[in-house]
Amino acid sequence: MMTKTKSETPTFDIPRGYGMPVINLYFWVGLVSAILLRGIIIADHYSVFWGKAIWYLGVTGYLWFFTHRYHIAKRRFSVVKDLDLLEKVRTRQKLSEKDLEGMEYLLWSLSVSKERANYLIITVFSVIAIALSLCLDLGILKL
């Protein structure tokens, strides 16, 4: 007797991807939050108030951004798990229409994701923030 996988049950739906405006919104929320958090280094040299304000804004933005990223990761994982895609690909099983829809969603989601650009920009701003902070702390630079 063959057991049905979740992908064969009518209750499993492949997630729909977000439109580019939503994808871009979260990209900018993450980017601005990253810049704000690195800007604390400069703000603290001038004002405790602005340092705290920037910290709250940056952390709130990150909370919103990473909650969204967690949701996306959970959706992707669910597609792989519920369709048992890894095992099907590993054992070279024939993929059903639902499996192919799931694979299409995963590949689309990865291809439109701005996470690579976000990681690169965050890395660059982190290096700049560290260098700027060292220059300010060592008195090399006066702002």
Side-chain angles (χ1 to χ4, degrees), residues 99-112:
D99 296 335
L100 291 172
E101 284 178 43
M103 292 288 285
E104 181 181 0
Y105 165 75
L106 292 170
L107 294 172
W108 172 86
S109 180
L110 290 169
S111 70
V112 298

Side-chain angles (χ1 to χ4, degrees), residues 16-28:
R16 290 179 43 105
Y18 296 108
M20 287 312 291
V22 172
I23 292 168
N24 286 328
L25 170 69
Y26 280 103
F27 171 76
W28 285 105

